[in-house]
Protein backbone atom coordinates (compact mmCIF):
# COMPACT_ATOMS: atom_id res chain seq x y z
CA UNK A 1 0.00 0.00 0.00
CA UNK A 2 0.98 3.63 -0.44
CA UNK A 3 0.37 6.00 2.46
CA UNK A 4 0.29 9.73 1.73
CA UNK A 5 0.19 12.54 4.32
CA UNK A 6 0.33 16.32 4.06
CA UNK A 7 -0.40 19.60 5.79
CA UNK A 8 0.12 18.76 9.43
CA UNK A 9 2.37 21.60 10.50
CA UNK A 10 2.17 25.28 11.28
CA UNK A 11 4.75 28.06 11.61
CA UNK A 12 4.68 27.33 15.38
CA UNK A 13 5.84 23.75 15.05
CA UNK A 14 5.56 20.20 13.75
CA UNK A 15 6.67 19.02 10.32
CA UNK A 16 4.95 16.46 8.10
CA UNK A 17 8.24 14.59 7.58
CA UNK A 18 8.64 14.17 11.35
CA UNK A 19 5.13 12.79 11.59
CA UNK A 20 6.06 10.44 8.73
CA UNK A 21 9.21 9.29 10.52
CA UNK A 22 7.20 8.57 13.69
CA UNK A 23 4.63 6.69 11.58
CA UNK A 24 7.38 4.52 10.06
CA UNK A 25 8.32 3.41 13.57
CA UNK A 26 4.72 2.76 14.62
CA UNK A 27 4.06 0.66 11.51
CA UNK A 28 7.23 -1.37 12.09
CA UNK A 29 6.11 -1.94 15.68
CA UNK A 30 2.94 -3.44 14.16
CA UNK A 31 5.12 -5.82 12.13
CA UNK A 32 4.58 -3.99 8.85
CA UNK A 33 7.45 -3.58 6.40
CA UNK A 34 8.28 -0.07 5.15
CA UNK A 35 9.83 -0.43 1.70
CA UNK A 36 10.36 3.25 1.00
CA UNK A 37 9.93 6.59 2.74
CA UNK A 38 9.51 9.36 0.18
CA UNK A 39 9.50 13.13 0.58
CA UNK A 40 8.10 15.12 -2.35
CA UNK A 41 8.27 18.86 -2.71
CA UNK A 42 5.34 20.32 -4.64
CA UNK A 43 4.82 23.63 -6.47
CA UNK A 44 6.96 26.06 -4.46
CA UNK A 45 4.62 28.96 -5.32
CA UNK A 46 1.56 27.57 -3.54
CA UNK A 47 0.55 30.28 -1.09
CA UNK A 48 -0.93 27.95 1.57
CA UNK A 49 2.40 26.30 2.27
CA UNK A 50 3.95 26.59 5.71
CA UNK A 51 7.57 26.34 4.58
CA UNK A 52 8.79 24.12 1.77
CA UNK A 53 5.54 22.56 0.45
CA UNK A 54 6.52 19.03 1.37
CA UNK A 55 4.32 15.93 1.41
CA UNK A 56 5.29 12.37 2.30
CA UNK A 57 4.61 8.89 0.95
CA UNK A 58 5.37 5.54 2.62
CA UNK A 59 5.39 2.33 0.59
CA UNK A 60 4.34 -0.31 3.11
CA UNK A 61 3.53 -4.03 3.26
CA UNK A 62 0.78 -4.79 5.77
CA UNK A 63 -2.92 -4.41 6.52
CA UNK A 64 -4.17 -1.18 4.83
CA UNK A 65 -7.14 -0.70 7.18
CA UNK A 66 -4.88 -0.98 10.22
CA UNK A 67 -2.27 1.35 8.65
CA UNK A 68 -4.98 3.92 7.80
CA UNK A 69 -6.25 3.85 11.40
CA UNK A 70 -2.71 4.26 12.79
CA UNK A 71 -1.90 7.12 10.38
CA UNK A 72 -5.14 9.00 11.16
CA UNK A 73 -4.60 8.56 14.92
CA UNK A 74 -1.07 9.91 14.61
CA UNK A 75 -2.26 12.96 12.67
CA UNK A 76 -4.79 13.66 15.42
CA UNK A 77 -2.03 13.23 18.02
CA UNK A 78 0.67 15.37 16.38
CA UNK A 79 -0.81 17.78 13.81
CA UNK A 80 -1.10 21.42 14.84
CA UNK A 81 -4.88 21.84 14.45
CA UNK A 82 -4.86 25.26 16.13
CA UNK A 83 -3.43 26.90 13.02
CA UNK A 84 -6.03 28.04 10.50
CA UNK A 85 -3.72 27.02 7.66
CA UNK A 86 -3.26 23.43 8.88
CA UNK A 87 -5.66 21.18 6.98
CA UNK A 88 -4.30 17.63 7.16
CA UNK A 89 -4.91 14.89 4.60
CA UNK A 90 -4.23 11.14 4.88
CA UNK A 91 -4.49 8.68 1.97
CA UNK A 92 -3.97 4.92 1.88
CA UNK A 93 -4.09 3.50 -1.66
CA UNK A 94 -3.63 -0.15 -2.67
CA UNK A 95 -2.26 0.97 -6.04
CA UNK A 96 -0.63 4.13 -7.35
CA UNK A 97 -3.13 6.69 -8.69
CA UNK A 98 -2.43 8.42 -12.05
CA UNK A 99 1.06 10.06 -11.86
CA UNK A 100 -0.32 12.99 -13.87
CA UNK A 101 -1.74 14.31 -10.58
CA UNK A 102 1.73 14.46 -9.05
CA UNK A 103 3.10 16.16 -12.19
CA UNK A 104 0.41 18.82 -11.93
CA UNK A 105 0.97 19.31 -8.20
CA UNK A 106 4.71 19.85 -8.61
CA UNK A 107 4.42 22.16 -11.64
CA UNK A 108 1.00 23.77 -11.42
CA UNK A 109 -2.02 24.22 -9.12
CA UNK A 110 -4.55 21.53 -8.15
CA UNK A 111 -8.05 21.55 -6.65
CA UNK A 112 -9.23 19.51 -3.64
CA UNK A 113 -12.11 18.08 -5.72
CA UNK A 114 -9.63 16.77 -8.33
CA UNK A 115 -7.70 14.97 -5.60
CA UNK A 116 -10.90 13.43 -4.22
CA UNK A 117 -11.98 12.27 -7.71
CA UNK A 118 -8.61 10.58 -8.31
CA UNK A 119 -8.77 8.90 -4.89
CA UNK A 120 -12.29 7.61 -5.57
CA UNK A 121 -11.18 6.28 -8.97
CA UNK A 122 -8.25 4.49 -7.30
CA UNK A 123 -10.54 3.08 -4.57
CA UNK A 124 -8.30 4.64 -1.91
CA UNK A 125 -9.07 5.17 1.76
CA UNK A 126 -8.70 8.83 2.62
CA UNK A 127 -9.51 11.40 5.25
CA UNK A 128 -9.21 15.16 5.15
CA UNK A 129 -9.47 17.38 8.22
CA UNK A 130 -10.91 20.92 8.30
CA UNK A 131 -10.96 22.23 4.70
CA UNK A 132 -9.21 18.99 3.55
CA UNK A 133 -6.57 20.83 1.46
CA UNK A 134 -3.91 18.39 2.68
CA UNK A 135 -5.55 15.77 0.46
CA UNK A 136 -3.90 17.51 -2.52
CA UNK A 137 -0.38 16.93 -1.24
CA UNK A 138 -1.20 13.48 0.15
CA UNK A 139 -2.66 12.42 -3.24
CA UNK A 140 0.30 13.91 -5.10
CA UNK A 141 2.68 11.96 -2.85
CA UNK A 142 1.03 8.57 -3.47
CA UNK A 143 0.74 9.25 -7.22
CA UNK A 144 4.36 10.39 -7.55
CA UNK A 145 6.66 8.72 -10.03
CA UNK A 146 10.16 10.17 -9.79
CA UNK A 147 12.14 10.31 -13.04
CA UNK A 148 15.14 11.54 -11.05
CA UNK A 149 15.61 11.16 -7.32
CA UNK A 150 17.96 12.19 -4.54
CA UNK A 151 18.27 11.37 -0.84
CA UNK A 152 17.97 13.36 2.35
CA UNK A 153 18.67 12.18 5.86
CA UNK A 154 16.61 14.20 8.30
CA UNK A 155 17.85 14.10 11.86
CA UNK A 156 15.11 15.16 14.27
CA UNK A 157 15.41 16.56 17.77
CA UNK A 158 14.46 14.92 21.01
CA UNK A 159 10.89 16.15 21.66
CA UNK A 160 11.76 17.89 24.94
CA UNK A 161 14.14 20.18 22.98
CA UNK A 162 11.55 21.31 20.38
CA UNK A 163 11.47 25.10 20.20
CA UNK A 164 14.80 25.62 21.99
CA UNK A 165 18.04 26.78 20.29
CA UNK A 166 19.73 24.01 18.28
CA UNK A 167 23.26 22.87 18.95
CA UNK A 168 25.08 21.53 15.86
CA UNK A 169 28.86 21.82 15.58
CA UNK A 170 29.59 24.24 12.75
CA UNK A 171 33.09 22.95 11.98
CA UNK A 172 31.78 19.38 11.60
CA UNK A 173 29.22 20.58 9.04
CA UNK A 174 31.92 22.28 6.96
CA UNK A 175 34.10 19.17 7.24
CA UNK A 176 31.22 16.93 6.10
CA UNK A 177 30.62 19.14 3.05
CA UNK A 178 34.35 19.25 2.27
CA UNK A 179 34.60 15.45 2.40
CA UNK A 180 31.43 14.44 0.57
CA UNK A 181 30.68 17.25 -1.96
CA UNK A 182 29.58 16.92 -4.79
CA UNK A 183 27.87 13.67 -3.69
CA UNK A 184 26.13 15.74 -1.00
CA UNK A 185 25.30 19.43 -1.32
CA UNK A 186 23.81 22.40 0.51
CA UNK A 187 25.00 21.35 3.97
CA UNK A 188 26.82 24.68 4.12
CA UNK A 189 27.48 27.57 1.74
CA UNK A 190 31.26 27.74 1.58
CA UNK A 191 31.44 30.97 -0.44
CA UNK A 192 29.14 32.88 1.89
CA UNK A 193 30.36 31.04 5.01
CA UNK A 194 26.83 30.11 6.11
CA UNK A 195 25.34 26.90 7.53
CA UNK A 196 22.40 25.91 5.32
CA UNK A 197 21.19 22.54 6.64
CA UNK A 198 20.11 23.60 10.16
CA UNK A 199 16.68 25.28 10.23
CA UNK A 200 15.87 28.31 12.38
CA UNK A 201 12.15 27.57 12.71
CA UNK A 202 10.66 25.87 15.82
CA UNK A 203 10.05 22.55 13.98
CA UNK A 204 11.44 19.14 15.05
CA UNK A 205 14.28 19.04 12.45
CA UNK A 206 17.80 19.27 13.86
CA UNK A 207 19.53 19.15 10.47
CA UNK A 208 19.17 17.52 7.05
CA UNK A 209 21.83 16.32 4.63
CA UNK A 210 21.00 16.12 0.93
CA UNK A 211 22.86 13.95 -1.51
CA UNK A 212 22.89 11.46 -4.36
CA UNK A 213 22.24 8.29 -2.35
CA UNK A 214 21.46 6.98 1.13
CA UNK A 215 25.10 5.95 1.43
CA UNK A 216 26.44 9.45 0.71
CA UNK A 217 24.05 11.28 3.03
CA UNK A 218 24.83 8.75 5.76
CA UNK A 219 28.58 9.22 5.23
CA UNK A 220 28.19 12.98 5.71
CA UNK A 221 25.78 12.56 8.63
CA UNK A 222 28.25 10.40 10.52
CA UNK A 223 30.73 13.27 10.54
CA UNK A 224 28.36 15.70 12.25
CA UNK A 225 28.55 16.43 15.96
CA UNK A 226 25.46 17.84 17.66
CA UNK A 227 23.16 17.77 20.67
CA UNK A 228 21.86 14.21 21.29
CA UNK A 229 19.54 13.54 18.31
CA UNK A 230 16.10 11.97 18.41
CA UNK A 231 14.92 9.77 15.52
CA UNK A 232 16.50 9.88 12.04
CA UNK A 233 14.99 9.03 8.68
CA UNK A 234 16.47 8.70 5.20
CA UNK A 235 14.01 9.94 2.59
CA UNK A 236 13.90 9.35 -1.15
CA UNK A 237 13.10 12.76 -2.61
CA UNK A 238 12.48 14.83 -5.73
CA UNK A 239 14.63 17.61 -4.21
CA UNK A 240 17.43 18.89 -6.42
CA UNK A 241 15.87 17.50 -9.62
CA UNK A 242 14.24 20.55 -11.28
CA UNK A 243 10.93 18.60 -11.28
CA UNK A 244 9.09 21.94 -11.04
CA UNK A 245 10.46 23.42 -14.29
CA UNK A 246 8.52 23.48 -17.58
CA UNK A 247 9.79 24.81 -20.92
CA UNK A 248 8.11 28.19 -21.43
CA UNK A 249 7.84 30.94 -24.02
CA UNK A 250 8.01 34.62 -23.19
CA UNK A 251 4.51 36.03 -23.58
CA UNK A 252 2.69 32.90 -22.47
CA UNK A 253 4.08 32.38 -18.95
CA UNK A 254 1.53 31.68 -16.20
CA UNK A 255 1.64 33.19 -12.72
CA UNK A 256 3.03 30.77 -10.10
CA UNK A 257 4.57 28.24 -12.50
CA UNK A 258 8.31 27.68 -12.89
CA UNK A 259 10.04 27.76 -16.24
CA UNK A 260 13.06 27.36 -18.47
CA UNK A 261 12.87 30.31 -20.88
CA UNK A 262 15.11 31.27 -23.85
CA UNK A 263 15.64 34.96 -24.56
CA UNK A 264 18.01 37.69 -25.60
CA UNK A 265 19.11 40.26 -23.05
CA UNK A 266 17.47 43.58 -23.89
CA UNK A 267 19.05 46.05 -21.45
CA UNK A 268 21.98 46.44 -19.06
CA UNK A 269 21.14 44.86 -15.68
CA UNK A 270 20.15 47.37 -13.01
CA UNK A 271 20.53 47.07 -9.26
CA UNK A 272 17.80 48.84 -7.30
CA UNK A 273 17.21 49.62 -3.66
CA UNK A 274 17.65 46.56 -1.50
CA UNK A 275 20.32 45.21 -3.83
CA UNK A 276 17.94 43.34 -6.14
CA UNK A 277 19.30 43.08 -9.69
CA UNK A 278 17.00 42.95 -12.73
CA UNK A 279 17.20 42.81 -16.51
CA UNK A 280 14.83 42.07 -19.34
CA UNK A 281 15.02 39.31 -21.92
CA UNK A 282 13.11 39.30 -25.19
CA UNK A 283 11.96 36.86 -27.80
CA UNK A 284 10.75 38.69 -30.89
CA UNK A 285 8.48 41.48 -29.70
CA UNK A 286 7.76 39.90 -26.30
CA UNK A 287 9.81 40.56 -23.18
CA UNK A 288 9.97 39.49 -19.55
CA UNK A 289 11.88 40.79 -16.55
CA UNK A 290 14.35 38.50 -14.75
CA UNK A 291 15.19 39.12 -11.08
CA UNK A 292 18.18 38.13 -8.99
CA UNK A 293 17.14 39.15 -5.50
CA UNK A 294 19.56 40.28 -2.78
CA UNK A 295 19.60 36.87 -1.03
CA UNK A 296 21.12 35.37 -4.20
CA UNK A 297 24.32 37.19 -3.09
CA UNK A 298 27.30 36.56 -5.41
CA UNK A 299 25.06 35.27 -8.24
CA UNK A 300 24.15 38.92 -8.83
CA UNK A 301 27.76 39.63 -9.78
CA UNK A 302 27.34 37.23 -12.72
CA UNK A 303 24.01 38.73 -13.68
CA UNK A 304 25.49 42.23 -13.68
CA UNK A 305 27.97 41.17 -16.37
CA UNK A 306 25.19 40.49 -18.90
CA UNK A 307 24.98 42.87 -21.84
CA UNK A 308 22.29 43.55 -24.44
CA UNK A 309 22.42 40.90 -27.15
CA UNK A 310 23.51 38.01 -24.87
CA UNK A 311 21.49 34.84 -25.42
CA UNK A 312 20.41 33.20 -22.14
CA UNK A 313 18.20 30.47 -20.72
CA UNK A 314 16.57 31.76 -17.54
CA UNK A 315 15.23 29.22 -14.99
CA UNK A 316 12.90 30.12 -12.17
CA UNK A 317 9.36 30.84 -11.03
CA UNK A 318 7.23 33.40 -12.83
CA UNK A 319 5.70 35.70 -10.23
CA UNK A 320 4.21 39.17 -10.60
CA UNK A 321 5.64 39.67 -14.09
CA UNK A 322 9.19 38.48 -13.31
CA UNK A 323 11.18 35.28 -13.54
CA UNK A 324 12.89 34.87 -10.17
CA UNK A 325 16.19 33.35 -11.23
CA UNK A 326 17.33 30.03 -9.77
CA UNK A 327 19.93 29.47 -12.43
CA UNK A 328 20.84 30.77 -15.85
CA UNK A 329 22.69 29.57 -18.92
CA UNK A 330 24.69 32.18 -20.79
CA UNK A 331 24.39 30.45 -24.16
CA UNK A 332 26.28 33.00 -26.22
CA UNK A 333 27.56 36.28 -24.91
CA UNK A 334 26.80 38.85 -27.64
CA UNK A 335 29.37 41.28 -29.03
CA UNK A 336 29.67 44.28 -26.77
CA UNK A 337 31.16 47.52 -28.14
CA UNK A 338 31.83 51.08 -27.00
CA UNK A 339 31.82 54.09 -29.30
CA UNK A 340 34.21 56.99 -28.82
CA UNK A 341 34.86 60.15 -30.85
CA UNK A 342 37.41 59.46 -33.67
CA UNK A 343 41.05 60.64 -33.55
CA UNK A 344 41.98 63.49 -35.97
CA UNK A 345 44.26 61.98 -38.63
CA UNK A 346 46.17 65.27 -38.98
CA UNK A 347 46.67 66.21 -35.30
CA UNK A 348 46.35 62.75 -33.58
CA UNK A 349 44.03 64.42 -31.05
CA UNK A 350 40.65 62.95 -30.11
CA UNK A 351 37.85 65.01 -31.70
CA UNK A 352 34.90 66.39 -29.75
CA UNK A 353 31.20 66.27 -30.51
CA UNK A 354 29.96 68.87 -32.95
CA UNK A 355 26.42 68.72 -31.59
CA UNK A 356 23.81 66.01 -31.50
CA UNK A 357 23.79 64.06 -34.79
CA UNK A 358 26.39 66.34 -36.35
CA UNK A 359 29.44 64.13 -35.94
CA UNK A 360 32.78 65.19 -34.48
CA UNK A 361 35.22 68.06 -34.97
CA UNK A 362 38.94 68.54 -34.23
CA UNK A 363 39.34 71.49 -31.87
CA UNK A 364 42.86 72.18 -33.22
CA UNK A 365 42.54 72.04 -36.99
CA UNK A 366 38.76 72.05 -37.48
CA UNK A 367 38.71 68.71 -39.38
CA UNK A 368 35.38 66.88 -39.22
CA UNK A 369 34.34 63.21 -39.12
CA UNK A 370 31.05 61.39 -39.05
CA UNK A 371 32.50 57.98 -38.16
CA UNK A 372 33.16 57.12 -34.47
CA UNK A 373 35.86 54.77 -33.15
CA UNK A 374 34.18 51.47 -32.36
CA UNK A 375 35.98 49.30 -29.79
CA UNK A 376 34.96 45.79 -28.84
CA UNK A 377 34.81 45.23 -25.09
CA UNK A 378 36.60 42.10 -23.92
CA UNK A 379 33.91 40.09 -22.07
CA UNK A 380 34.79 38.47 -18.78
CA UNK A 381 31.51 36.53 -18.66
CA UNK A 382 32.06 33.04 -20.10
CA UNK A 383 29.31 30.94 -21.69
CA UNK A 384 27.85 28.33 -19.35
CA UNK A 385 25.49 27.70 -16.46
CA UNK A 386 25.46 29.83 -13.33
CA UNK A 387 23.36 29.23 -10.20
CA UNK A 388 22.33 30.91 -6.98
CA UNK A 389 24.44 29.93 -3.94
CA UNK A 390 23.30 27.13 -1.57
CA UNK A 391 21.91 29.65 0.92
CA UNK A 392 19.40 30.86 -1.69
CA UNK A 393 18.62 27.52 -3.34
CA UNK A 394 15.04 26.25 -3.48
CA UNK A 395 14.37 22.65 -2.49
CA UNK A 396 13.49 21.50 -6.02
CA UNK A 397 16.26 23.33 -7.89
CA UNK A 398 18.87 20.97 -9.31
CA UNK A 399 22.35 22.06 -8.21
CA UNK A 400 24.90 22.25 -11.02
CA UNK A 401 27.13 19.82 -9.10
CA UNK A 402 24.58 17.11 -10.07
CA UNK A 403 25.26 17.69 -13.76
CA UNK A 404 24.38 20.38 -16.27
CA UNK A 405 20.78 20.70 -17.49
CA UNK A 406 20.16 19.34 -21.01
P1 LIG B 1 4.05 20.50 5.89
O1 LIG B 1 5.29 20.08 6.59
O2 LIG B 1 2.84 20.53 6.76
O3 LIG B 1 3.79 19.64 4.69
P2 LIG B 1 4.56 22.64 4.02
O4 LIG B 1 5.38 23.86 3.97
O5 LIG B 1 5.04 21.52 3.23
O6 LIG B 1 4.31 22.06 5.45
P3 LIG B 1 1.77 22.56 3.90
O7 LIG B 1 1.44 22.92 5.29
O8 LIG B 1 1.76 21.15 3.49
O9 LIG B 1 3.19 23.17 3.54
O10 LIG B 1 0.83 23.42 2.97
C1 LIG B 1 0.73 23.22 1.59
C2 LIG B 1 -0.72 23.00 1.23
O11 LIG B 1 -0.88 23.24 -0.16
C3 LIG B 1 -1.18 21.58 1.47
O12 LIG B 1 -2.51 21.63 1.93
C4 LIG B 1 -1.13 20.93 0.11
O13 LIG B 1 -2.08 19.90 -0.04
C5 LIG B 1 -1.44 22.09 -0.79
N1 LIG B 1 -0.80 21.99 -2.08
C6 LIG B 1 0.41 21.49 -2.37
N2 LIG B 1 0.67 21.55 -3.69
C7 LIG B 1 -0.40 22.14 -4.26
C8 LIG B 1 -0.73 22.49 -5.59
N3 LIG B 1 0.11 22.28 -6.59
N4 LIG B 1 -1.93 23.10 -5.81
C9 LIG B 1 -2.78 23.34 -4.77
N5 LIG B 1 -2.52 23.02 -3.50
C10 LIG B 1 -1.34 22.44 -3.23
Amino acid sequence: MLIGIDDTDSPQGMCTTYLGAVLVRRLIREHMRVREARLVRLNPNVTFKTRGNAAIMLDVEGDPDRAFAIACALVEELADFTCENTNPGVVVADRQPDPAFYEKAVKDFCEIDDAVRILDQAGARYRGWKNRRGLIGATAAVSSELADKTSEILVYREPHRFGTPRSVDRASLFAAEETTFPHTWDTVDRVNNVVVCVPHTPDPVLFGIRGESPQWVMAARQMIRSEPPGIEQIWVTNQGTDAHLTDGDIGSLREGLSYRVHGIVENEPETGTGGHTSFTIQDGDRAVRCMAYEPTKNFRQIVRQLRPGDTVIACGSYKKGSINLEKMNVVAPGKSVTMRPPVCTACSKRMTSDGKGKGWKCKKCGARSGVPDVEEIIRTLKPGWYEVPPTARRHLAKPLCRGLPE
Side-chain angles (χ1 to χ4, degrees), residues 342 351 358-360 368-372:
M351 295 179 165
K358 290 187 183 161
W360 295 270
R368 289 171 186 279
S369 170
V371 186

PDB file of all heavy atoms in Angstrom, residues 342 351 358-360 368-372:
ATOM      1  N   PRO A 342      36.215  59.897 -32.921  1.00  0.00           N
ATOM      2  CA  PRO A 342      37.408  59.463 -33.668  1.00  0.00           C
ATOM      3  C   PRO A 342      38.607  60.360 -33.364  1.00  0.00           C
ATOM      4  O   PRO A 342      38.465  61.447 -32.812  1.00  0.00           O
ATOM      5  CB  PRO A 342      36.971  59.629 -35.124  1.00  0.00           C
ATOM      6  CG  PRO A 342      35.921  60.683 -35.090  1.00  0.00           C
ATOM      7  CD  PRO A 342      35.223  60.560 -33.779  1.00  0.00           C
ATOM      8  N   MET A 351      38.785  63.935 -31.354  1.00  0.00           N
ATOM      9  CA  MET A 351      37.850  65.006 -31.697  1.00  0.00           C
ATOM     10  C   MET A 351      36.792  65.159 -30.597  1.00  0.00           C
ATOM     11  O   MET A 351      36.687  64.325 -29.717  1.00  0.00           O
ATOM     12  CB  MET A 351      37.181  64.689 -33.032  1.00  0.00           C
ATOM     13  CG  MET A 351      38.140  64.664 -34.200  1.00  0.00           C
ATOM     14  SD  MET A 351      37.227  64.239 -35.685  1.00  0.00           S
ATOM     15  CE  MET A 351      38.386  64.715 -36.932  1.00  0.00           C
ATOM     16  N   LYS A 358      25.574  65.603 -35.370  1.00  0.00           N
ATOM     17  CA  LYS A 358      26.386  66.344 -36.346  1.00  0.00           C
ATOM     18  C   LYS A 358      27.805  65.794 -36.481  1.00  0.00           C
ATOM     19  O   LYS A 358      28.646  66.395 -37.158  1.00  0.00           O
ATOM     20  CB  LYS A 358      26.464  67.820 -35.922  1.00  0.00           C
ATOM     21  CG  LYS A 358      25.152  68.560 -36.075  1.00  0.00           C
ATOM     22  CD  LYS A 358      25.372  70.031 -35.805  1.00  0.00           C
ATOM     23  CE  LYS A 358      24.069  70.791 -35.868  1.00  0.00           C
ATOM     24  NZ  LYS A 358      24.185  72.085 -35.185  1.00  0.00           N
ATOM     25  N   GLY A 359      28.109  64.720 -35.824  1.00  0.00           N
ATOM     26  CA  GLY A 359      29.438  64.129 -35.936  1.00  0.00           C
ATOM     27  C   GLY A 359      30.427  64.788 -35.001  1.00  0.00           C
ATOM     28  O   GLY A 359      30.039  65.353 -33.964  1.00  0.00           O
ATOM     29  N   TRP A 360      31.714  64.724 -35.368  1.00  0.00           N
ATOM     30  CA  TRP A 360      32.776  65.187 -34.476  1.00  0.00           C
ATOM     31  C   TRP A 360      33.694  66.194 -35.201  1.00  0.00           C
ATOM     32  O   TRP A 360      33.799  66.203 -36.429  1.00  0.00           O
ATOM     33  CB  TRP A 360      33.589  64.003 -33.976  1.00  0.00           C
ATOM     34  CG  TRP A 360      32.752  63.088 -33.098  1.00  0.00           C
ATOM     35  CD1 TRP A 360      32.604  63.163 -31.767  1.00  0.00           C
ATOM     36  CD2 TRP A 360      31.932  61.997 -33.538  1.00  0.00           C
ATOM     37  NE1 TRP A 360      31.740  62.203 -31.303  1.00  0.00           N
ATOM     38  CE2 TRP A 360      31.303  61.448 -32.384  1.00  0.00           C
ATOM     39  CE3 TRP A 360      31.628  61.426 -34.777  1.00  0.00           C
ATOM     40  CZ2 TRP A 360      30.429  60.385 -32.430  1.00  0.00           C
ATOM     41  CZ3 TRP A 360      30.769  60.348 -34.817  1.00  0.00           C
ATOM     42  CH2 TRP A 360      30.171  59.839 -33.659  1.00  0.00           C
ATOM     43  N   ARG A 368      36.631  67.503 -39.666  1.00  0.00           N
ATOM     44  CA  ARG A 368      35.379  66.883 -39.219  1.00  0.00           C
ATOM     45  C   ARG A 368      35.355  65.404 -39.578  1.00  0.00           C
ATOM     46  O   ARG A 368      36.028  64.993 -40.530  1.00  0.00           O
ATOM     47  CB  ARG A 368      34.179  67.559 -39.901  1.00  0.00           C
ATOM     48  CG  ARG A 368      33.934  68.944 -39.402  1.00  0.00           C
ATOM     49  CD  ARG A 368      32.884  69.627 -40.276  1.00  0.00           C
ATOM     50  NE  ARG A 368      32.754  71.026 -39.888  1.00  0.00           N
ATOM     51  CZ  ARG A 368      32.043  71.447 -38.851  1.00  0.00           C
ATOM     52  NH1 ARG A 368      31.380  70.588 -38.115  1.00  0.00           N
ATOM     53  NH2 ARG A 368      31.995  72.725 -38.557  1.00  0.00           N
ATOM     54  N   SER A 369      34.541  64.641 -38.802  1.00  0.00           N
ATOM     55  CA  SER A 369      34.341  63.214 -39.124  1.00  0.00           C
ATOM     56  C   SER A 369      32.940  62.817 -38.673  1.00  0.00           C
ATOM     57  O   SER A 369      32.433  63.338 -37.678  1.00  0.00           O
ATOM     58  CB  SER A 369      35.385  62.348 -38.410  1.00  0.00           C
ATOM     59  OG  SER A 369      35.024  60.983 -38.544  1.00  0.00           O
ATOM     60  N   GLY A 370      32.368  61.910 -39.456  1.00  0.00           N
ATOM     61  CA  GLY A 370      31.046  61.391 -39.053  1.00  0.00           C
ATOM     62  C   GLY A 370      31.128  59.951 -38.580  1.00  0.00           C
ATOM     63  O   GLY A 370      30.109  59.329 -38.296  1.00  0.00           O
ATOM     64  N   VAL A 371      32.355  59.406 -38.499  1.00  0.00           N
ATOM     65  CA  VAL A 371      32.504  57.977 -38.161  1.00  0.00           C
ATOM     66  C   VAL A 371      33.205  57.841 -36.802  1.00  0.00           C
ATOM     67  O   VAL A 371      34.354  58.256 -36.650  1.00  0.00           O
ATOM     68  CB  VAL A 371      33.343  57.249 -39.247  1.00  0.00           C
ATOM     69  CG1 VAL A 371      33.366  55.749 -38.970  1.00  0.00           C
ATOM     70  CG2 VAL A 371      32.808  57.556 -40.629  1.00  0.00           C
ATOM     71  N   PRO A 372      32.517  57.254 -35.786  1.00  0.00           N
ATOM     72  CA  PRO A 372      33.157  57.122 -34.469  1.00  0.00           C
ATOM     73  C   PRO A 372      34.170  55.970 -34.447  1.00  0.00           C
ATOM     74  O   PRO A 372      34.167  55.134 -35.345  1.00  0.00           O
ATOM     75  CB  PRO A 372      31.975  56.809 -33.555  1.00  0.00           C
ATOM     76  CG  PRO A 372      31.013  56.091 -34.436  1.00  0.00           C
ATOM     77  CD  PRO A 372      31.171  56.658 -35.821  1.00  0.00           C
TER      78      PRO A 372
END
